[in-house]
Amino acid sequence: MAKGPTYYQRGTIDVWDFVREQGLNFHLGNAIKYICRAGYKDSTIQDLEKAIHYLQNELEHEENVSIRAGEGIPIQIRDKEFSCETDEFISEKSDRRGI
């Protein structure tokens, strides 16, 4: 079998073999690829930013699937509700203390 570039061949398994063995999809596989090559090809920062980009895309996709299935709350709404609940909790504690 053909070998990939050396920056993907550290350790006992090539990155693409690991991705395939784990059954990762395109976005997760690319995130792993960029994480593994960070510091070994081109810009470490650029590779890490690319990994984050693929993870963010996968996260948004999974959230959308979850929302369509009625199983999730969008992050924007969830974070806003959590913030309001936290503010109310703090206010309640302050009121009980006479603050």
Side-chain angles (χ1 to χ4, degrees), residues 32-84:
I32 295 292
K33 174 183 83 168
Y34 284 114
I35 290 168
C36 289
R37 83 178 208 181
Y40 293 92
K41 181 186 183 221
D42 301 331
S43 166
T44 300
I45 292 171
Q46 186 178 28
D47 282 340
L48 294 175
E49 287 173 340
K50 288 178 182 180
I52 290 168
H53 168 77
Y54 281 105
L55 288 172
Q56 186 65 44
N57 187 285
E58 183 66 15
L59 177 62
E60 290 171 7
H61 170 74
E62 287 299 320
E63 287 173 342
N64 288 334
V65 168
S66 181
I67 290 166
R68 283 194 301 270
E71 298 171 359
I73 299 172
I75 284 181
Q76 297 84 358
I77 295 171
R78 182 183 67 219
D79 289 347
K80 184 176 179 182
E81 288 177 358
F82 178 74
S83 175
C84 291

Side-chain angles (χ1 to χ4, degrees), residues 4-55:
T6 56
Y7 46 86
Y8 293 135
Q9 294 181 27
R10 295 180 325 280
T12 60
I13 184 170
D14 282 358
V15 173
W16 60 17
D17 291 334
F18 173 80
V19 168
R20 187 176 295 120
E21 181 180 281
Q22 296 299 311
L24 299 176
N25 66 26
F26 176 80
H27 292 101
L28 294 177
N30 273 331
I32 295 292
K33 174 183 83 168
Y34 284 114
I35 290 168
C36 289
R37 83 178 208 181
Y40 293 92
K41 181 186 183 221
D42 301 331
S43 166
T44 300
I45 292 171
Q46 186 178 28
D47 282 340
L48 294 175
E49 287 173 340
K50 288 178 182 180
I52 290 168
H53 168 77
Y54 281 105
L55 288 172

